[in-house]
Structure formats: C-alpha cells, structure tokens
C-alpha cells in the first residue's frame, strides 16, 4: 500500500480536483497521510498561478517537500504546472508534471507508474466537508481578459455532459451532503463542448434528490441571464448568493482589461437580480464582487470611480480585492503606466475598509428577516456555526445532531 500526501494551493476548483484524486487513490488502497509525514512515498501538489506570488509559493512548497522527504516522488498539477512546466520539471524531487489536459491521467499514472496522456475533461467534486461540496461543472476559459493567464493555464472552455454532472451530484447526495457549490473556471459558460446550456444544467441539478441548496460560484455578469434569474425567483434550490466579478467600476479601465460589459450593464444586472429576488421584509441578496486595483493606467481619479461605484451604486455585501499582478505573456504586462506597489497597497486598504462598512450594513439590513441556516461545524468556543441562505454567518448553542441540519431562524 503506497502512502501519499496532498498539498493544494489556490481556488476551490483546485480543492475539488485534489479531493477527486484522493478518492481515486483511496479506492485503490492507497493511504493518505499529512504532508508533514516523512513516511510519505509520494506528494501530489496542485499549484496556483493567479499571481506571481502564487507561482513562487507553488515552487517554494515543492522545494520544502523535497527537503522534508528527499526520497519521496513529487507529482505536480494545477495552473502553475501548465504555465511554468519547464521550471517545475527542473525542481529536485519532481517525478512528473501534469498539464491542464492531462489531469484525468494523474490517478491512472500513479497507480500504474506508466504514462497515460489522453487529454479530456476531468470531472471533480470535493468530499472533505460534511455539509457542502464544491462540484466542478466546467473548466477552461475562452475570454482571455488582458490581465489573466487562466485561459492559458486551464485551456479552452469545456465541460462534461449534464447527465454526468447530475451523476456526480447524486454521488454527493449519497454521502449525506445537503449543499453544493457549483464551480468552474468560467462557470456560466457551461455547455461549450456539449451543446447544452448553464440554464439547462441548473434545472437538471434542481431535481437531484437529497441536495437541498445550491450556490453558484463566480459567474460572469453577462452569463447570469435574466432567464436564469427569473427561474431562480420561482422557488428553485439556488440560493440568493452570487459571486460576480466586476474588476473595475471605471469604463476606461474595463475596456483596457478587455472585459465584456460596462458599468451601466453591470449595474442593470445587479438591479434586476435585486428586483427579482428581494421582497419587502425578506432577506436581501448577497453579492460578493471581485475587484482588481492598480491595473495599468488606473489613476487616483479612475480608482475613485470604482470606489464610488461600489459604495453608491452596487453596495455589495463583500468585496474580493486583488492588487493587479503583472503576468508575463498577457497584454497588460506590456502596457505603459504600471502602478506602483505602494499605491496598490493604499487602494487595497481603502477598499477593505469599504468592504467592512458595506458588510456591516448588509447584515443590519437583514435583521429581523427569516432565513434557513445550514449548520456546518462546532466552533472553538463550543457554539454551532452555519450560514444563512444569503451567506450570513450564524452561531447557536451547540447541541447533538445540529451539524448538517437546516433550521429556519430570524436573523
């Protein structure tokens, strides 16, 4: 019986894929050990390349694992493995690197120690939590925004057929898990390789018995259509919680980024969702918004447009803030007027303060509303912790059997 340890960096999609590698190896009799266990014969490292820091962190963890256990073989996959393959292959201890189209070969190769490079779509879902699972429904991206290396790391947009995704959802339900987070690289682009649509997928998943709640992970504003929103409003299992990338609240910067909408389009979509899903006296919709600060050419005045757009127009519940990271091979890396790191840091701090302000206001606006909470775990201070339908953290006194139960409460 071989012993293997897993190290995963980056997004929830990476964690879903690692979890799938683990299930395959455990089913074949392998033993999973902590990465700090010197008895590990193999390490499987799933890397991230979203920023330059992520690339460095990926390489550093590989070096650290080799120092910890020099005789173990290190297998590497993930985005940095695709974009920095030759660099990673030269690192000591690395046995094999699997690129974006080779992920389905990871487990067979480890089991047989013989290469199998058949490309394709790698189905994955996480199983490490008792109450929710991250279900991968799509991979790759065709958008190629000017700052992003993900399309090069993950390849073209592709997916498994709806029938297979539903099969995965049923397997998740069979484990007693009640909530699924639908995730992908460009989630709403589902259907490119099968001639299906994301809307058709949502309707099929909604019928899976045992799964009571769905959250849609990051989805482009142009792909969250009015048709989908209207259907959600009819009483589907999809929760009022959306993670939508804005990236900038300034039209000049959005155009420079190569985004597919302007601020007026974004504002209309948010307003449409609110009108469709929010009723007087009922819980508000949670919007988590991605924003990049310090994109080349972003002056103080242009940044202020983003700040004002978020504060006065969108008013999200949370802002995911990313300082722009120069990625070799992207158009943005060659642009003039790169912004100093110290300026980016200041802008991040301003948005973090705004995020705190907006989140406090969001929680206050939901006070007195009814919501169903899925309790997930016991906290260190002995309380039960869970999340409302619109992603407000709720704590209750602990009681036996509360984990994985859903209770309707007043926020």
């Amino acid at each position: 019986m071989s012993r293997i340890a897993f190290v995963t960096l980056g997004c929830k999609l990476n964690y879903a894929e690692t979890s799938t590698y683990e299930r395959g190896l455990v089913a074949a009799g392998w033993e999973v050990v902590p990465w700090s266990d010197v008895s590990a014969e193999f390490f499987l490292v799933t890397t991230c390349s979203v920023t330059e820091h992520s690339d460095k962190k990926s390489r550093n963890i590989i070096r650290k694992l080799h120092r910890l256990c020099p005789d173990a073989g290190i297998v590497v996959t993930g985005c940095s493995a695709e974009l920095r393959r030759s660099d990673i292959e030269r690192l000591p201890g690395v046995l094999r690197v699997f690129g974006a189209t080779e992920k389905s070969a990871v487990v067979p190769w480890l089991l047989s120690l013989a290469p199998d490079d058949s490309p394709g779509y790698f189905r994955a879902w996480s199983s490490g939590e008792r109450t929710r699972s991250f279900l991968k429904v799509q991979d790759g991206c065709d958008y190629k925004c000017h700052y992003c290396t993900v399309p090069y790391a993950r390849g073209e947009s592709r997916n498994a057929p709806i029938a297979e995704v539903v099969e995965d959802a049923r397997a998740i339900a069979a484990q007693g898990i009640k909530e699924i987070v639908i995730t992908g690289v460009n989630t709403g682009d589902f259907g490119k390789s099968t001639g299906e649509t994301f809307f058709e997928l949502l309707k099929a998943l909604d019928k899976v018995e045992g799964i009571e709640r769905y959250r849609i992970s990051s989805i482009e504003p142009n792909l969250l259509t009015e048709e989908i929103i209207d259907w959600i409003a009819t009483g589907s299992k999809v929760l009022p919680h959306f993670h939508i990338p804005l990236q900038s609240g300034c039209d000049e910067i959005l155009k420079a980024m190569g985004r597919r909408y302007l601020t007026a389009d974004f504002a209309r979509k948010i307003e449409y969702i609110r009108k469709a899903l929010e009723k007087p006296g009922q819980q508000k919709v949670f919007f988590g918004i991605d924003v990049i600060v310090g994109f080349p050419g972003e002056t103080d005045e242009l940044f202020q447009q983003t700040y004002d757009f978020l504060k006065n127009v969108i008013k999200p519940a949370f802002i995911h803030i990313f300082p722009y990271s120069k990625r070799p091979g992207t158009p943005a890396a060659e642009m003039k007027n790169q912004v100093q790191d110290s300026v980016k840091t200041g802008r991040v701090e301003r948005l973090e303060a705004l995020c705190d302000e907006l989140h406090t206001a969001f929680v206050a606006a939901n006070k007195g509303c009814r919501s169903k909470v899925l309790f997930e775990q016991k906290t260190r201070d002995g309380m039960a912790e869970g999340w409302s339908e619109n992603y407000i953290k709720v704590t209750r006194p602990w009681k036996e059997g509360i984990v994985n139960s859903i209770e309707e409460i007043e926020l």
Side-chain angles (χ1 to χ4, degrees):
M1 180 171 61
S2 297
R3 292 181 297 278
I4 188 167
F6 297 90
V7 177
T8 306
L9 306 173
C11 63
K12 293 295 186 182
L13 196 60
N14 280 358
Y15 282 87
E17 291 179 350
T18 296
S19 187
T20 302
Y21 299 141
E22 181 176 336
R23 285 196 304 276
L25 293 170
V26 168
W30 284 44
E31 179 185 0
V32 177
V33 298
W35 67 265
S36 56
D37 192 329
V38 295
S39 71
E41 299 170 78
F42 297 94
F43 294 104
L44 203 165
V45 182
T46 303
T47 60
C48 177
S49 186
V50 70
T51 64
E52 182 181 3
H53 175 72
S54 302
D55 273 325
K56 290 180 179 178
K57 187 175 180 180
S58 296
R59 293 193 295 270
N60 287 341
I61 192 67
I62 292 169
R63 294 189 182 98
K64 182 176 182 179
L65 294 174
H66 180 65
R67 291 194 300 270
L68 176 70
C69 197
D71 295 330
I74 302 174
V75 177
V76 185
T77 185
C79 291
S80 194
E82 173 70 19
L83 295 176
R84 304 287 179 265
R85 185 173 194 140
S86 59
D87 294 340
I88 292 174
E89 286 176 335
R90 289 195 292 267
L91 295 176
V94 172
L95 197 62
R96 171 119 185 226
V97 175
F98 289 87
T101 63
E102 303 169 302
K103 292 174 185 176
S104 59
V106 171
V107 171
W109 185 85
L110 279 167
L111 293 177
S112 66
L113 292 183
D116 174 6
D117 294 323
S118 55
Y121 179 82
F122 176 54
R123 291 163 59 188
W125 50 275
S126 67
S127 55
E129 300 182 60
R130 295 170 60 186
T131 58
R132 72 164 63 166
S133 176
F134 292 86
L135 172 60
K136 174 183 173 182
V137 304
Q138 182 273 344
D139 205 343
C141 184
D142 298 336
Y143 277 19
K144 297 186 179 177
C145 298
H146 295 165
Y147 52 82
C148 188
T149 57
V150 170
Y152 312 106
R154 287 272 179 176
E156 296 180 348
S157 180
R158 60 200 184 278
N159 56 275
I162 287 175
E164 294 184 8
V165 179
V166 168
E167 181 182 314
D168 290 339
R170 287 175 178 152
I172 293 169
Q175 294 195 350
I177 294 171
K178 294 183 178 179
E179 181 175 302
I180 285 178
V181 181
I182 301 168
T183 188
V185 173
N186 189 356
T187 309
D189 204 35
F190 177 92
K192 276 289 184 71
S193 54
T194 58
E196 299 165 310
T197 69
F198 185 57
F199 184 32
E200 291 169 341
L201 172 67
L202 290 177
K203 289 188 290 185
L205 289 174
D206 200 63
K207 298 175 183 177
V208 174
E209 294 184 6
I211 302 300
E212 298 188 31
R213 305 155 48 121
Y214 290 96
R215 298 186 192 272
I216 300 174
S217 186
S218 182
I219 182 169
E220 291 288 315
N222 55 302
L223 298 177
L224 186 55
T225 65
E226 293 182 1
E227 182 182 40
I228 292 174
I229 296 163
D230 291 342
W231 173 77
I232 292 173
T234 64
S236 74
K237 297 178 183 177
V238 178
L239 300 180
H241 171 199
F242 300 98
H243 180 176
I244 307 177
L246 168 65
Q247 310 306 16
S248 176
C250 167
D251 288 343
E252 182 177 335
I253 296 299
L254 286 174
K255 291 176 183 177
M257 288 178 166
R259 300 293 286 165
R260 299 187 175 205
Y261 52 84
L262 297 177
T263 53
D265 305 315
F266 194 93
R268 279 194 297 269
K269 184 58 61 72
I270 298 299
E271 182 182 13
Y272 190 93
I273 295 170
R274 283 188 167 129
K275 284 185 176 179
L277 300 184
E278 293 184 353
K279 305 297 184 231
Q282 296 183 7
Q283 60 188 340
K284 313 302 180 186
V285 177
F286 182 106
F287 291 104
I289 304 297
D290 288 350
V291 176
I292 296 172
V293 302
F295 188 80
E298 185 187 65
T299 63
D300 289 341
E301 292 75 18
L302 297 183
F303 168 73
Q304 188 64 40
Q305 289 184 29
T306 292
Y307 184 95
D308 292 341
F309 184 67
L310 289 166
K311 180 176 182 177
N312 301 322
V313 180
I314 302 304
K315 301 177 183 178
F318 192 83
I319 309 172
H320 302 264
I321 309 157
F322 304 89
Y324 167 73
S325 180
K326 191 175 182 180
R327 312 303 291 133
T330 62
E334 306 302 321
M335 291 180 180
K336 299 178 181 179
N337 301 320
Q338 298 284 329
V339 178
Q340 293 182 349
D341 287 344
S342 59
V343 175
K344 296 176 192 175
T345 300
R347 293 174 184 173
V348 167
E349 290 173 351
R350 284 194 64 196
L351 285 185
E352 286 176 340
L354 177 61
C355 178
D356 290 341
E357 175 186 326
L358 291 170
H359 186 70
T360 298
F362 175 75
V363 173
N366 281 275
K367 188 174 182 180
C369 298
R370 308 281 308 172
S371 185
K372 294 179 180 178
V373 176
L374 173 60
F375 287 97
E376 298 189 3
Q377 61 186 355
K378 189 175 186 178
T379 65
R380 292 182 179 179
D381 58 358
M383 300 289 283
E385 180 180 270
W387 298 91
S388 68
E389 293 163 292
N390 60 344
Y391 212 62
I392 293 176
K393 184 184 291 186
V394 175
T395 57
R396 282 286 182 270
W398 173 263
K399 62 182 180 181
E400 289 300 324
I402 195 170
V403 170
N404 207 28
S405 70
I406 296 177
E407 296 183 10
E408 183 172 337
I409 66 162
E410 182 178 301
L411 295 172

Coordinates of all heavy atoms in Angstrom, one line a residue, residues 179-182 198-199 201-207 211-217 219 224 228-229 231-242 273 277 283 285 389-390:
E179 N -25.6 20.6 0.6 CA -25.4 21.8 -0.2 C -24.3 21.6 -1.2 O -23.2 21.1 -0.8 CB -25.1 23.0 0.7 CG -24.9 24.3 0.0 CD -24.7 25.5 0.9 OE1 -25.6 25.8 1.7 OE2 -23.6 26.1 0.9
I180 N -24.5 22.1 -2.4 CA -23.5 22.1 -3.4 C -23.2 23.5 -3.9 O -24.1 24.3 -4.2 CB -23.9 21.2 -4.6 CG1 -23.9 19.7 -4.3 CG2 -23.1 21.5 -5.9 CD1 -24.4 18.8 -5.4
V181 N -21.9 23.8 -4.0 CA -21.4 25.0 -4.7 C -21.0 24.6 -6.1 O -20.1 23.8 -6.3 CB -20.2 25.6 -3.9 CG1 -19.8 26.9 -4.6 CG2 -20.6 25.9 -2.4
I182 N -21.7 25.2 -7.0 CA -21.5 24.9 -8.5 C -20.3 25.8 -8.9 O -20.3 27.0 -8.8 CB -22.7 25.3 -9.3 CG1 -23.9 24.4 -8.8 CG2 -22.4 25.1 -10.8 CD1 -25.2 24.9 -9.4
F198 N -26.0 26.4 -19.4 CA -25.9 26.5 -18.0 C -27.3 26.5 -17.4 O -27.5 25.9 -16.3 CB -25.2 27.8 -17.6 CG -24.9 27.9 -16.1 CD1 -24.2 26.9 -15.4 CD2 -25.3 29.0 -15.4 CE1 -24.0 27.0 -14.1 CE2 -25.1 29.1 -14.0 CZ -24.4 28.1 -13.4
F199 N -28.3 27.1 -18.0 CA -29.6 27.1 -17.5 C -30.2 25.7 -17.5 O -30.8 25.3 -16.5 CB -30.5 28.0 -18.4 CG -31.9 28.2 -17.9 CD1 -32.2 28.2 -16.6 CD2 -32.9 28.4 -18.8 CE1 -33.6 28.3 -16.1 CE2 -34.3 28.6 -18.4 CZ -34.6 28.5 -17.1
L201 N -28.5 23.0 -17.2 CA -27.8 22.3 -16.1 C -28.4 22.6 -14.8 O -28.7 21.7 -14.0 CB -26.3 22.7 -16.1 CG -25.5 22.2 -14.9 CD1 -25.4 20.7 -14.9 CD2 -24.1 22.9 -14.8
L202 N -28.7 23.9 -14.5 CA -29.3 24.3 -13.2 C -30.6 23.6 -13.0 O -30.9 23.1 -11.9 CB -29.5 25.8 -13.2 CG -28.2 26.7 -13.1 CD1 -28.6 28.1 -13.1 CD2 -27.5 26.4 -11.8
K203 N -31.5 23.5 -14.1 CA -32.8 22.9 -13.9 C -32.6 21.4 -13.7 O -33.4 20.8 -12.9 CB -33.6 23.1 -15.2 CG -34.1 24.6 -15.4 CD -35.0 24.8 -16.5 CE -34.4 24.6 -17.8 NZ -35.3 24.9 -19.0
A204 N -31.6 20.7 -14.3 CA -31.4 19.3 -14.0 C -30.9 19.1 -12.6 O -31.3 18.1 -11.9 CB -30.4 18.8 -15.1
L205 N -30.0 19.9 -12.2 CA -29.4 19.7 -10.8 C -30.5 20.0 -9.8 O -30.5 19.4 -8.7 CB -28.3 20.7 -10.6 CG -27.0 20.4 -11.3 CD1 -25.9 21.5 -11.1 CD2 -26.4 19.0 -10.8
D206 N -31.4 20.9 -10.1 CA -32.5 21.2 -9.1 C -33.4 20.0 -8.8 O -34.0 20.0 -7.7 CB -33.4 22.3 -9.7 CG -34.2 23.1 -8.7 OD1 -33.6 23.7 -7.8 OD2 -35.4 23.0 -8.7
K207 N -33.4 19.0 -9.7 CA -34.2 17.8 -9.5 C -33.5 16.7 -8.7 O -34.1 15.7 -8.4 CB -34.7 17.3 -10.8 CG -35.5 18.3 -11.6 CD -35.8 17.7 -13.0 CE -36.6 18.7 -13.8 NZ -36.9 18.2 -15.2
I211 N -30.1 16.8 -2.3 CA -29.4 18.1 -2.3 C -30.5 19.2 -2.1 O -31.4 19.3 -2.9 CB -28.7 18.4 -3.6 CG1 -27.6 17.3 -3.8 CG2 -28.0 19.8 -3.6 CD1 -26.6 17.2 -2.7
E212 N -30.4 20.0 -1.1 CA -31.4 21.0 -0.7 C -31.1 22.4 -1.1 O -31.9 23.2 -1.2 CB -31.7 20.9 0.8 CG -32.2 19.5 1.2 CD -32.7 19.5 2.7 OE1 -33.2 20.6 3.1 OE2 -32.6 18.5 3.3
R213 N -29.8 22.6 -1.4 CA -29.3 24.0 -1.6 C -28.2 24.0 -2.7 O -27.3 23.1 -2.6 CB -28.9 24.7 -0.4 CG -29.8 24.7 0.7 CD -29.3 24.8 2.1 NE -28.3 25.8 2.4 CZ -28.5 26.8 3.4 NH1 -29.6 26.9 4.0 NH2 -27.5 27.6 3.7
Y214 N -28.2 25.0 -3.5 CA -27.1 25.2 -4.5 C -26.7 26.7 -4.4 O -27.5 27.6 -4.3 CB -27.6 25.0 -5.9 CG -27.8 23.5 -6.2 CD1 -29.1 23.0 -6.2 CD2 -26.8 22.7 -6.6 CE1 -29.3 21.7 -6.5 CE2 -27.0 21.3 -6.9 CZ -28.3 20.8 -6.9 OH -28.5 19.5 -7.2
R215 N -25.4 26.9 -4.4 CA -24.8 28.2 -4.6 C -24.1 28.2 -5.9 O -23.4 27.3 -6.2 CB -23.9 28.6 -3.4 CG -24.5 28.6 -2.0 CD -23.6 29.1 -1.0 NE -24.1 28.9 0.4 CZ -24.9 29.7 1.0 NH1 -25.3 30.8 0.4 NH2 -25.4 29.4 2.2
I216 N -24.2 29.3 -6.6 CA -23.4 29.5 -7.9 C -22.1 30.2 -7.5 O -22.1 31.3 -7.0 CB -24.2 30.3 -8.9 CG1 -25.5 29.5 -9.2 CG2 -23.4 30.4 -10.2 CD1 -26.4 30.3 -10.2
S217 N -21.0 29.6 -7.8 CA -19.7 30.2 -7.6 C -19.5 31.3 -8.6 O -20.4 31.6 -9.4 CB -18.6 29.2 -7.7 OG -17.4 29.7 -7.3
I219 N -19.5 33.8 -11.4 CA -20.1 33.8 -12.7 C -20.0 35.1 -13.3 O -20.3 36.2 -12.7 CB -21.6 33.2 -12.6 CG1 -22.2 33.1 -14.0 CG2 -22.4 34.1 -11.6 CD1 -23.5 32.4 -14.0
L224 N -25.0 35.4 -16.3 CA -26.1 35.2 -15.4 C -27.3 35.9 -16.0 O -27.6 37.1 -15.8 CB -25.7 35.8 -14.0 CG -26.7 35.6 -12.9 CD1 -27.0 34.2 -12.7 CD2 -26.2 36.3 -11.6
I228 N -32.3 32.9 -16.3 CA -31.8 32.2 -15.1 C -32.3 32.9 -13.8 O -32.9 32.2 -12.9 CB -30.3 32.1 -15.1 CG1 -29.8 31.2 -16.2 CG2 -29.8 31.5 -13.7 CD1 -28.3 31.1 -16.4
I229 N -32.2 34.2 -13.8 CA -32.7 34.9 -12.6 C -34.2 34.7 -12.4 O -34.6 34.5 -11.2 CB -32.3 36.4 -12.7 CG1 -30.8 36.6 -12.8 CG2 -32.9 37.2 -11.6 CD1 -30.3 37.9 -13.3
W231 N -36.0 32.3 -13.3 CA -36.3 30.9 -12.8 C -35.9 30.7 -11.4 O -36.6 30.1 -10.6 CB -35.5 29.9 -13.7 CG -35.5 28.5 -13.3 CD1 -36.6 27.6 -13.4 CD2 -34.5 27.8 -12.5 NE1 -36.2 26.4 -12.8 CE2 -35.0 26.5 -12.3 CE3 -33.2 28.1 -12.1 CZ2 -34.2 25.5 -11.6 CZ3 -32.5 27.2 -11.4 CH2 -33.0 25.9 -11.2
I232 N -34.8 31.3 -11.0 CA -34.4 31.2 -9.5 C -35.5 31.8 -8.7 O -35.8 31.2 -7.6 CB -33.0 31.9 -9.3 CG1 -31.9 31.1 -10.0 CG2 -32.7 32.0 -7.8 CD1 -30.5 31.9 -10.0
A233 N -36.1 32.9 -9.1 CA -37.1 33.6 -8.4 C -38.4 32.7 -8.2 O -39.2 33.0 -7.3 CB -37.4 34.9 -9.0
T234 N -38.6 31.7 -9.0 CA -39.8 30.9 -8.9 C -39.7 29.9 -7.7 O -40.7 29.3 -7.5 CB -40.0 30.1 -10.2 OG1 -38.9 29.2 -10.4 CG2 -40.1 31.0 -11.4
G235 N -38.6 29.8 -7.1 CA -38.5 28.9 -5.9 C -37.6 27.7 -6.1 O -37.9 26.7 -5.6
S236 N -36.6 27.9 -6.9 CA -35.6 26.8 -7.1 C -34.7 26.6 -5.8 O -34.9 27.4 -4.9 CB -34.7 27.2 -8.3 OG -33.8 28.2 -7.9
K237 N -33.8 25.7 -5.9 CA -32.9 25.4 -4.8 C -31.7 26.3 -4.8 O -30.9 26.3 -3.9 CB -32.5 24.0 -4.8 CG -33.6 22.9 -4.6 CD -33.0 21.5 -4.8 CE -34.1 20.5 -4.7 NZ -33.5 19.1 -4.8
V238 N -31.6 27.2 -5.8 CA -30.4 28.1 -5.9 C -30.6 29.2 -4.9 O -31.7 29.9 -4.9 CB -30.3 28.6 -7.3 CG1 -29.1 29.6 -7.4 CG2 -30.1 27.5 -8.3
L239 N -29.6 29.5 -4.1 CA -29.7 30.5 -3.0 C -29.5 31.9 -3.5 O -28.8 32.1 -4.5 CB -28.8 30.1 -1.9 CG -29.0 28.7 -1.3 CD1 -28.0 28.4 -0.2 CD2 -30.4 28.6 -0.7
P240 N -29.9 32.9 -2.8 CA -29.7 34.3 -3.1 C -28.3 34.8 -2.7 O -28.1 35.6 -1.9 CB -30.8 35.0 -2.3 CG -31.0 34.2 -1.1 CD -30.8 32.8 -1.6
H241 N -27.3 34.2 -3.3 CA -25.9 34.4 -3.0 C -25.1 34.3 -4.3 O -25.0 33.2 -4.9 CB -25.4 33.4 -2.0 CG -24.0 33.4 -1.8 ND1 -23.3 32.4 -1.2 CD2 -23.0 34.4 -2.0 CE1 -22.0 32.7 -1.1 NE2 -21.8 33.9 -1.6
F242 N -24.6 35.4 -4.8 CA -23.9 35.5 -6.1 C -22.5 36.1 -5.9 O -22.3 37.1 -5.3 CB -24.7 36.2 -7.1 CG -26.1 35.7 -7.3 CD1 -27.2 36.2 -6.7 CD2 -26.3 34.6 -8.2 CE1 -28.5 35.7 -6.9 CE2 -27.5 34.0 -8.4 CZ -28.6 34.6 -7.7
I273 N -31.5 41.6 -10.5 CA -31.4 40.5 -9.6 C -32.2 40.9 -8.3 O -33.0 40.1 -7.7 CB -30.0 40.0 -9.3 CG1 -29.3 39.5 -10.5 CG2 -30.0 39.0 -8.1 CD1 -27.9 39.2 -10.4
L277 N -35.5 39.0 -6.8 CA -35.3 38.1 -5.7 C -35.6 38.7 -4.3 O -35.8 38.0 -3.3 CB -33.9 37.5 -5.7 CG -33.5 36.7 -6.9 CD1 -32.1 36.1 -6.7 CD2 -34.5 35.6 -7.2
Q283 N -35.2 38.4 3.3 CA -33.7 38.5 3.2 C -33.2 39.2 1.9 O -33.9 39.0 0.9 CB -33.1 37.2 3.5 CG -33.5 36.1 2.4 CD -33.0 34.7 2.8 OE1 -32.0 34.6 3.6 NE2 -33.5 33.7 2.1
V285 N -30.3 39.9 -1.1 CA -29.4 39.1 -1.9 C -27.9 39.4 -1.5 O -27.6 40.6 -1.4 CB -29.6 39.3 -3.4 CG1 -28.5 38.5 -4.2 CG2 -31.0 38.9 -3.8
E389 N -29.1 31.4 4.0 CA -29.3 31.2 2.6 C -28.5 32.3 1.9 O -27.9 32.1 0.8 CB -30.8 31.3 2.2 CG -31.6 30.1 2.7 CD -33.0 30.3 2.7 OE1 -33.5 31.2 3.5 OE2 -33.7 29.7 1.9
N390 N -28.5 33.5 2.4 CA -27.8 34.6 1.8 C -26.4 34.9 2.5 O -25.9 36.0 2.5 CB -28.6 35.9 1.8 CG -29.0 36.4 3.2 OD1 -28.9 35.6 4.2 ND2 -29.5 37.6 3.3

